[in-house]
Each structure stands twice: as structure tokens, then as C-alpha cells.
């Protein structure tokens, strides 16, 4: 049997209007009345009609986080941080997994689910910046990551060029000269942007980049890092250091190095990117670029809520997430 608003009112001994006011958190309701209504709601297990409330308020207090994959530790930690930031503001986060598919990312840009959500925090993988910039989005959107929209949408991102420069410069400072990069790629995505910082650091140190030391692989998972590391070790002159463009690649590379009987960092030093929990507890622990995840989450949610509140005409904002190079055992820390 479906519990109605009138059932709650009858149990609490108040009017239907009073129950509605309590549910919508209206002021000027006594604590005693509010407590009676809340007790009735709990006793009857009443669930408010979210769609109806959304139409009345003009907002649902739900936002979406669209990410490529939920199984990735980085995106899992990101989702948790954004959920915490939203919860403090009375907002619920719905998570959508796009799997990096073009059709799924297009659905995100088109607004996803009509009245159910107020806005979207979106980490695109496949969609080009030009395509994002051309889209007339149905809902306010804040972008995460390297892809921007030509200044048309708010964005929160790590300065991947500078961060990659910092990581590579650290390896150069250890005296390494054959520094490989795992995770490079074409286009405007993570790989190509981080490669810029990697090459910039090599150039600043007077080291010519060697195409044989730049591996794209097929993805950004542990198995991809392990396979790329095997390929690097098969070179006539293997690397003495590796900068992996995320921590999962680095963890895979560390596995291959261990299987080959090589010492980290004595034979090969390794740096990752993201500072996921797995890297902190690996043996050896992983030196990595650590973005300030809480800062990212707080500012992404604030930007989105600002747009939802009606600040649609304000200039677009591009915020840079603070990062640090966290030195651990994989480079001698």
C-alpha cells in the first residue's frame, strides 16, 4: 500500500499543508510539530515524491557526476570527495559511468535525465574540446580534466603540464637520463598534455626525447603499465627511470620490474600521477603527483551550484587544482 501525504497528516494530527511544510523545510514550524511529523514519516516509511517536489521548487537538489569508470581508484576517490562536498550543502550526487563512450558522453552534454538533476560535473574522455564547445548544454555543466570547451564552460583541472614537468624534473635531479614515459597519446587528452610537461623538462635539462621511450599502450590500467614496462625492458638500452601518467600504470610497471628481478629505485626509479591509496601502501611505496582532491571537489561543487542558482551569464572560470610531488620509496624517498 502506498503511503500518502494525508496518511502522514492523520497520524501526526496535523494538516496536509503542515506535513508539506515540514518536508520542504519551511521556517516558522515549531520544534514540537516538526518532531511529530518526522515521527509519523518514519513510522509510515513515507517517501516524498521527488519529481513533484522538483516541479514545485524548480530544483531537485540532485546533481550528477559523470565519470569514465567507477572501478578506477582515482574516480572512486573523486566520487567520494564530490559526494562529501555536496552533502555539506544539502545536495545528493548521482554517479553516471560513461565508460568513455562517445554516445554516453553526448547524453551527458545533452542534459541526461530531464528534471531529475539540476546540473552535472563531467569528466570527458572521448569527446573533443571542439565538440564540447559547440554543444548547447541543457543543464549547467562543470568540466574536470584536460579537455576544455574554449572558455564556454567552467572547468576545474590540475595543471598537467606543470605537474608532469615537476615529476620528470625530480627524476632528472636523481641523475637519471633515460627517462621513459608510459601513457602518452595523441589528441587533446591526458596523455598528450602530460607528455608536453615531460618533454619540457627533458628539454630544459638538455636531454633529447627518445620516441622509443614514449609508450602509449592501450589504456590506463595496471595491465597496460605492466605490458609497457616489458616493452621498455626489451630495448637495447632500457630506461633508468619511468614517469607513468597515472598511478595504475605505475603499479603495473612496478610489478614487471619486480618480476624481472630489478631493484626500484636503484635500477629503475618510478613516478606516478594521482596519489591513489594503493600507491601509498604498495611496496615500494609510490612517488606520485598528488592533486588536492578535497580542493577539487569543493570548488567543482561550488561552481556548479553557482550556475544552478542562476549565475549563467557570469564569465566562465577555469580553476587550477593545487598539486604536490609526494616523494616515496620508488624514487628513494
Amino acid at each position: 500500500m502506498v503511503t500518502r501525504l494525508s496518511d502522514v497528516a492523520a497520524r501526526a494530527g496535523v494538516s496536509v499543508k503542515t506535513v508539506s511544510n515540514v518536508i520542504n523545510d519551511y521556517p516558522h514550524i515549531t520544534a514540537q510539530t516538526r518532531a511529530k511529523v518526522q515521527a509519523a514519516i518514519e513510522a509510515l516509511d513515507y517517501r516524498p515524491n521527488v519529481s513533484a517536489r522538483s516541479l514545485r521548487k524548480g530544483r531537485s537538489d540532485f546533481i550528477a557526476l559523470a565519470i569514465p569508470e567507477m572501478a578506477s581508484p582515482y574516480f572512486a576517490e573523486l566520487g567520494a570527495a564530490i559526494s562529501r562536498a555536496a552533502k555539506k550543502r544539502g545536495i545528493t550526487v548521482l554517479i553516471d559511468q560513461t565508460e568513455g563512450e562517445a554516445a554516453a558522453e553526448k547524453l551527458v552534454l545533452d542534459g541526461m535525465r530531464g528534471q531529475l538533476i539540476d546540473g552535472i560535473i563531467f569528466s570527458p574522455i572521448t569527446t573533443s574540446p571542439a565538440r564540447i564547445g559547440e554543444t548547447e548544454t541543457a543543464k549547467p555543466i562543470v568540466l574536470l580534466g584536460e579537455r576544455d570547451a574554449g572558455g564556454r564552460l567552467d572547468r576545474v583541472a590540475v595543471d598537467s603540464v606543470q605537474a608532469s614537468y615537476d615529476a620528470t624534473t625530480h627524476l632528472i635531479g636523481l641523475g637519471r637520463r633515460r627517462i621513459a614515459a608510459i601513457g602518452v597519446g595523441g589528441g587533446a587528452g591526458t596523455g598528450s598534455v602530460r607528455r608536453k610537461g615531460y618533454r619540457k623538462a627533458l628539454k630544459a635539462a638538455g636531454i633529447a626525447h627518445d620516441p622509443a621511450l614514449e609508450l602509449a599502450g592501450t589504456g590506463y590500467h595496471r595491465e597496460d603499465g605492466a605490458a609497457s614496462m616489458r616493452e621498455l625492458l626489451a630495448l637495447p638500452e632500457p630506461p633508468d627511470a619511468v614517469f607513468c601518467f597515472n598511478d595504475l600504470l605505475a603499479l603495473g610497471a612496478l610489478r614487471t620490474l619486480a618480476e624481472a628481478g630489478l631493484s626500484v629505485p636503484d635500477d629503475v626509479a618510478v613516478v606516478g600521477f594521482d596519489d591513489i591509496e594503493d600507491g601509498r601502501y604498495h611496496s615500494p611505496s609510490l612517488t606520485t603527483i598528488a592533486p588536492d582532491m578535497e580542493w577539487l571537489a569543493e570548488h567543482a561543487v561550488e561552481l556548479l551550484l553557482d550556475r544552478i542558482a542562476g549565475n549563467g551569464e557570469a564569465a566562465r572560470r577555469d580553476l587550477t587544482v593545487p598539486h604536490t610531488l609526494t616523494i616515496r620509496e620508488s624514487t628513494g624517498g
Side-chain angles (χ1 to χ4, degrees):
M1 179 178 173
V2 177
T3 302
R4 298 169 299 177
L5 209 64
S6 58
D7 299 323
V8 176
R11 186 178 183 94
V14 298
S15 69
V16 170
K17 176 65 173 174
T18 297
V19 174
S20 177
N21 287 345
V22 170
I23 289 172
N24 289 287
D25 201 25
Y26 287 173
H28 313 306
I29 297 174
T30 67
Q32 182 180 12
T33 299
R34 191 179 298 276
K36 285 197 300 183
V37 172
Q38 292 290 1
I41 287 172
E42 291 174 11
L44 297 174
D45 195 26
Y46 175 70
R47 296 290 181 267
N49 185 318
V50 173
S51 297
R53 289 179 65 194
S54 298
L55 289 172
R56 288 195 300 271
K57 293 171 61 180
R59 283 178 52 178
S60 68
D61 291 335
F62 285 87
I63 62 173
L65 171 63
I67 53 178
E69 55 179 327
M70 290 184 284
S72 163
Y74 171 78
F75 287 113
E77 292 178 20
L78 173 67
I82 287 178
S83 293
R84 285 192 297 271
K87 185 178 181 180
K88 288 192 296 186
R89 296 160 174 83
I91 303 297
T92 300
V93 178
L94 306 178
I95 297 181
D96 182 74
Q97 178 175 268
T98 66
E99 297 182 346
E101 295 177 352
E105 292 194 351
K106 181 181 183 300
L107 181 62
V108 173
L109 291 171
D110 289 343
M112 296 178 68
R113 296 183 179 87
Q115 293 296 326
L116 184 59
I117 58 170
D118 298 321
I120 304 165
I121 298 174
F122 179 30
S123 179
I125 293 294
T126 303
T127 311
S128 70
R131 173 72 179 83
I132 295 171
E134 291 168 357
T135 304
E136 292 296 329
T137 58
K139 298 282 184 180
I141 291 180
V142 171
L143 294 177
L144 303 180
E146 282 79 6
R147 285 171 167 79
D148 64 23
R152 292 193 64 249
L153 295 175
D154 295 320
R155 184 175 68 140
V156 183
V158 176
D159 184 345
S160 279
V161 174
Q162 183 61 50
S164 299
Y165 178 91
D166 295 343
T168 309
T169 298
H170 171 60
L171 292 169
I172 294 168
L174 298 175
R176 310 304 168 111
R177 289 298 178 267
R178 284 191 59 75
I179 302 171
I182 295 178
V184 304
T190 298
S192 62
V193 175
R194 293 180 184 176
R195 180 173 58 183
K196 289 179 183 178
Y198 159 77
R199 287 185 175 181
K200 180 181 177 182
L202 294 179
K203 184 177 181 180
I207 302 172
H209 76 267
D210 182 350
L213 294 177
E214 297 182 359
L215 274 68
T218 57
Y220 280 78
H221 299 92
R222 296 173 181 85
E223 61 267 29
D224 304 303
S228 292
M229 194 71 244
R230 285 193 290 271
E231 189 174 338
L232 288 168
L233 293 180
L235 292 172
E237 291 184 72
D240 57 10
V242 183
F243 171 36
C244 299
F245 289 3
N246 78 358
D247 284 353
L248 290 183
L249 291 172
L251 293 173
L254 287 171
R255 176 68 183 183
T256 293
L257 290 167
E259 291 174 347
L262 295 172
S263 173
V264 176
D266 295 339
D267 296 318
V268 182
V270 179
V271 176
F273 200 120
D274 287 337
D275 193 28
I276 64 173
E277 187 176 23
D278 290 9
R280 298 169 216 159
Y281 291 94
H282 191 273
S283 182
S285 55
L286 181 62
T287 294
T288 187
I289 294 294
D292 188 332
M293 189 73 79
E294 298 300 325
W295 191 101
L296 185 163
E298 289 285 337
H299 285 76
V301 170
E302 275 298 318
L303 282 179
L304 186 60
L305 295 184
D306 189 43
R307 294 299 181 192
I308 292 169
N311 237 341
E313 299 305 316
R316 264 43 186 177
R317 290 152 291 186
D318 201 334
L319 305 184
T320 301
V321 180
H323 72 268
T324 56
L325 174 69
T326 301
I327 300 173
R328 299 193 181 103
E329 294 166 345
S330 69
T331 61

